[in-house]
Amino acid sequence: MSFRPRWVAVAAALVLIVLPVPRAAEAAPPAAVALDPGEPALIRFRLPNEAMLQRLVAGGEDLAARPRTQNGAVLADIVVDDARLAALTAQGAEPLQVIQRGSSGAARATRLAAQADTLHFLQAYWWTSNGKTFLQTQVATTATDDPDVEITVTWRTADGATGSFPLVRFEDSGEYQYHYALPQPMPAKPVQVTAASSLGGTSRAITPAVWPGATPPPLPAGYQKDFVDAYMTPVDIKARIKRLARQYPKLVDVINLPNKTQGYRRTAVAYLGDPNAAAVIVESVAFGDQGMNGVQVRTVDPGAANRPLSATYKDRVLTVRLATDTTGKTISTTDDVAAFISARYPQRFRAVVEEGSAGLPMPVAGPARLDDGLQGTEVPKGPWTVQALRIGKTRDGSKPGVLSYSQEHAREWATPLVTLEFAERLLANYATDPATRQLVDDVDIFIIPTVNPDGANYSFNDFNFQRKNLVNHCAGATRDPRYRNSWGVDVNRNYTVGSYFDGYVGASANCLSGTYAGTAELSEAESRNVIALAKAHPNINLAMNVHSYGGYFMWPPGAYKADGRVTLPRPSIDESKFFLDSARRIVGAIATERGTVTWPSYTGPVADVLYSAAGNSADQLYYELGIDAWDFEVGNDRWNETTQQWEGVGFQPPFDEAHAESQEYANGLLELVRVARDRAAAEQ
């Protein structure tokens, strides 16, 4: 390392640059300065006076750059080692800044050793899926603030094979979490892993543990399964619920949940004018199916001078007569027409100016036909009663209760297949399988196959990626039909604990956002229904919310505040152990179907393994009602041996994949019931 040329001067020829200093700078205390033994450094000193500078120059001190004065003191940049730093400090020189450190042998080695980080494995698990062995690791470094730290994991198998792979840094909400990699294919069972970082840190060698390390009892001969053979719309689901209640009257109650949803309905809308030039959006106040689909609206030239803006509504036609000037020319603007329609017919129509059309002359246009735009002709249009199945030999609240609910998000078509396959297995095997009979006798089971039927109907018939419900809280220009596929409330952001309204991350106040939280906590019928069912049946102490996709298994906390990534309170040590131990059992049950393994890195609290989900249902069930609540994300990534890549399956995979998901995750729900039974037995 080289420094600037030594500044040489004689005392008689000393020239100082005098610089004023702001008062704030004068008051700021200097940072502590320390050097390792033998370490050279270029340091800026404040000398008490010019006389000391002259002594240093005369003594051949290694000065770099021209000294300068500040308020009577002298600033000088001097190359020193630790001994010289101590000597100058003793003479009254005050070190202000280490401008540059040197690199001399022992000092450099000492410093590098001090910089080495400490590494620790947070996870090291292996498993076998469909004949292939995988290893997954997470490693944390103490160099949390260094974004350039590189960590490599080295592995060894029982037969002596070795290899390595790099990890990548993971931050969440600006906070370092760990370094990780996706599951890595192994030639055999790994027996040792170590980690090393670019800072010189190394971990201790550890032996990876088998994941999940739990296997349920085998299904008996003659066990009945595979009860789903197609995707099911809410109409199909309602018919299936009705059939199960009729077929198994001694084991099933159907619960009509108290809050009717809006239904598969929307207001009727039309563009009056040319959306590419000048237009007004006219919308019915009532829903389209309430007699407003097909209503026409038009603007006309009255054909006379000095006419005011006026309108008539007759025979399902709204006619707006534009205002004219003294020459008979129409003078109404788009703003005039929109405001007039809304004020003249507030119980029937609302109107806004189409974006980009404000203040433009309103053309003679129409007639335009209002329409709700819904394509599902076979879907009932009225308010929808959400239904739950209650399954059990004893359904009086005396048995431990388990709640499973699905399709909070409309586009997750595979999730009702899971809950209905689960229900069918319990009922069909009750008479022939003693293990199933014991579960149904000992546990009170509640199932909501579709929490969000309106959004699901829209997803099946209009826009398959619809996530939210159909309630449109947008106002003004955001009610433009071009945004129709973005309307609605995210049901799983509308609950009360850790909500957007309390400052938690993961939901939005934007009505067009995919995570729109609604106008207030529990503003939506769909979310109120889930909580109403749980409150009405206080024997429910376990719950599973079935989502897709990605292959996650999660529990609270599910949300945090951004500043400092402060989560909702963590479960106790005992509760955390119960969550994880139960997860291992359930993940093991899922894997028995076709070898699908939910990754250990995808198993844990929602806020840690997925993201912050402000106002989700599991948090409210857990923190407010004391229910141990989990979340599935069915649809695990699949390993492609040809490409050596993990591949996602999506919200609506080909039915063969969705069918397989229903079978394996129904296994998981059955294990959840066993967990409930076993815990109740242990508490007796």
Side-chain angles (χ1 to χ4, degrees):
M1 180 179 294
S2 61
F3 294 106
R4 299 171 61 180
R6 179 175 176 177
W7 182 82
V8 179
V10 295
L14 192 63
V15 179
L16 300 179
I17 300 175
V18 181
L19 297 175
V21 178
R23 295 187 61 84
E26 295 173 10
V33 173
L35 299 178
D36 293 324
E39 180 185 11
L42 175 62
I43 295 179
R44 177 161 297 170
F45 289 87
R46 179 186 290 124
L47 307 182
N49 49 50
E50 185 177 333
M52 183 176 181
L53 172 64
Q54 293 177 353
R55 290 197 302 273
L56 295 177
V57 171
E61 200 69 46
D62 191 354
L63 274 72
R66 183 184 294 272
R68 49 207 181 278
T69 63
Q70 282 186 347
N71 298 332
V74 179
L75 298 185
D77 298 345
I78 309 174
V79 176
V80 297
D81 59 16
D82 61 306
R84 192 61 189 149
L85 170 63
L88 291 178
T89 302
Q91 296 173 36
E94 182 180 9
L96 300 179
Q97 176 193 359
V98 178
I99 300 173
Q100 186 177 359
R101 292 182 183 270
S103 58
S104 86
R108 178 174 177 82
T110 300
R111 187 169 65 255
L112 288 177
Q115 289 177 347
D117 54 341
T118 300
L119 303 181
H120 179 67
F121 278 93
L122 302 180
Q123 287 188 354
Y125 292 106
W126 71 274
W127 64 91
T128 299
S129 178
N130 298 318
K132 192 74 178 177
T133 299
F134 296 94
L135 168 69
Q136 184 165 55
T137 60
Q138 290 179 357
V139 177
T141 172
T142 53
T144 58
D145 296 331
D146 187 343
D148 298 321
V149 175
E150 298 175 354
I151 296 178
T152 300
V153 168
T154 300
W155 51 264
R156 177 170 60 82
T157 63
D159 59 4
T162 61
S164 64
F165 55 88
L167 304 183
V168 296
R169 178 184 176 92
F170 174 62
E171 291 185 0
D172 187 30
S173 192
E175 299 287 333
Y176 171 77
Q177 303 299 303
Y178 45 75
H179 283 67
Y180 78 104
L182 295 180
Q184 301 291 307
M186 295 281 114
K189 170 186 171 180
V191 296
Q192 181 178 291
V193 290
T194 56
S197 85
S198 56
L199 295 180
T202 58
S203 74
R204 58 186 174 86
I206 67 169
T207 301
V210 64
W211 177 263
T215 303
L219 297 176
Y223 185 86
Q224 299 179 69
K225 54 186 293 190
D226 197 359
F227 293 95
V228 297
D229 50 19
Y231 278 123
M232 285 186 277
T233 69
V235 175
D236 301 327
I237 291 169
K238 183 162 284 192
R240 180 70 64 100
I241 290 173
K242 184 177 181 180
R243 192 261 291 168
L244 292 174
R246 184 177 64 250
Q247 186 174 355
Y248 302 99
K250 294 182 179 181
L251 298 176
V252 173
D253 291 332
V254 176
I255 302 173
N256 291 326
L257 299 182
N259 303 287
K260 289 182 180 292
T261 69
Q262 171 182 288
Y264 180 66
R265 348 164 70 180
R266 278 188 167 166
T267 55
V269 185
Y271 288 105
L272 180 59
D274 182 355
N276 297 315
V280 167
I281 300 167
V282 181
E283 178 185 1
S284 65
V285 172
F287 293 113
D289 68 294
Q290 295 177 308
M292 298 307 292
N293 280 333
V295 166
Q296 298 180 68
V297 58
R298 61 181 186 146
T299 54
V300 298
D301 184 339
N306 295 318
R307 293 301 175 96
L309 184 61
S310 63
T312 58
Y313 181 65
K314 181 180 179 182
D315 297 331
R316 291 171 47 82
V317 178
L318 172 62
T319 300
V320 179
R321 293 175 178 82
L322 302 176
T324 58
D325 61 12
T326 56
T327 67
K329 178 183 177 182
T330 60
I331 57 173
S332 297
T333 66
T334 52
D335 302 79
D336 297 333
V337 170
F340 182 81
I341 292 173
S342 297
R344 178 72 174 80
Y345 300 101
Q347 304 303 315
R348 195 178 298 273
F349 301 104
R350 63 173 67 93
V352 297
V353 178
E354 190 265 340
E355 187 175 356
S357 296
L360 297 178
M362 184 68 206
V364 172
R369 187 178 297 272
L370 273 64
D371 187 80
D372 62 15
L374 298 174
Q375 304 299 310
T377 56
E378 80 288 356
V379 181
K381 297 298 193 293
W384 192 281
T385 299
V386 179
Q387 294 182 315
L389 286 164
R390 184 178 190 178
I391 298 173
K393 178 66 180 297
T394 303
R395 304 185 297 280
D396 60 5
S398 62
K399 301 293 184 180
V402 171
L403 168 63
S404 177
Y405 56 109
S406 52
Q407 207 167 34
E408 279 186 322
H409 292 146
R411 63 195 178 191
E412 296 169 5
W413 293 2
T415 60
L417 306 185
V418 174
T419 48
L420 285 171
E421 172 71 18
F422 166 55
E424 293 257 17
R425 290 188 190 183
L426 291 170
L427 296 169
N429 291 290
Y430 183 81
T432 56
D433 175 32
T436 298
R437 185 180 309 115
Q438 183 187 20
L439 291 179
V440 176
D441 286 350
D442 293 348
V443 183
D444 197 359
I445 302 156
F446 300 81
I447 302 169
I448 310 175
T450 177
V451 171
N452 179 12
D454 301 346
N457 278 320
Y458 192 77
S459 179
F460 273 101
N461 292 283
D462 301 272
F463 175 61
N464 68 312
F465 281 158
Q466 177 73 11
R467 171 184 169 96
K468 303 184 285 182
N469 69 7
L470 286 196
V471 179
N472 183 7
H473 292 297
C474 288
T478 54
R479 294 188 74 91
D480 189 320
R482 75 179 67 182
Y483 302 122
R484 64 187 307 109
N485 292 335
S486 298
W487 294 333
V489 175
D490 184 344
V491 175
N492 202 33
R493 299 297 184 273
N494 189 235
Y495 295 89
T496 68
V497 175
S499 75
Y500 166 82
F501 304 97
D502 292 331
Y504 286 81
V505 173
S508 173
N510 179 357
C511 70
L512 300 178
S513 166
T515 58
Y516 175 49
T519 57
E521 295 169 349
L522 295 180
S523 63
E524 306 308 299
E526 294 86 351
S527 55
R528 294 198 303 272
N529 279 332
V530 174
I531 301 307
L533 179 65
K535 286 185 173 180
H537 301 91
N539 63 317
I540 296 174
N541 53 42
L542 297 181
M544 182 69 73
N545 187 2
V546 184
H547 282 272
S548 79
Y549 65 100
Y552 293 81
F553 194 102
M554 303 173 291
W555 55 85
Y560 56 71
K561 293 185 177 181
D563 293 342
R565 199 181 178 276
V566 180
T567 69
L568 289 163
R570 298 279 177 171
S572 69
I573 294 174
D574 289 340
E575 288 175 314
S576 296
K577 184 177 186 305
F578 174 72
F579 276 129
L580 180 57
D581 289 348
S582 301
R584 286 177 176 268
R585 289 180 57 174
I586 296 168
V587 168
I590 294 166
T592 61
E593 182 67 28
R594 57 169 178 167
T596 297
V597 175
T598 297
W599 302 346
S601 65
Y602 283 8
T603 303
V606 175
D608 295 341
V609 304
L610 187 60
Y611 44 57
S612 179
N616 70 83
S617 56
D619 279 347
Q620 183 166 357
L621 292 175
Y622 175 67
Y623 292 102
E624 184 179 83
L625 301 181
I627 297 170
D628 290 328
W630 288 270
D631 301 273
F632 278 153
E633 291 276 353
V634 311
N636 303 53
D637 284 6
R638 313 301 298 169
W639 176 254
N640 187 321
E641 184 66 21
T642 301
T643 64
Q644 295 286 290
Q645 298 290 329
W646 292 99
E647 297 177 346
V649 298
F651 299 113
Q652 299 133 27
F655 180 73
D656 285 349
E657 169 62 25
H659 173 264
E661 293 169 15
S662 74
Q663 302 306 301
E664 60 193 2
Y665 276 88
N667 290 347
L669 291 179
L670 288 168
E671 189 64 24
L672 176 67
V673 178
R674 294 190 191 100
V675 169
R677 177 204 59 196
D678 295 348
R679 184 166 76 168
E683 292 174 348
Q684 290 179 352

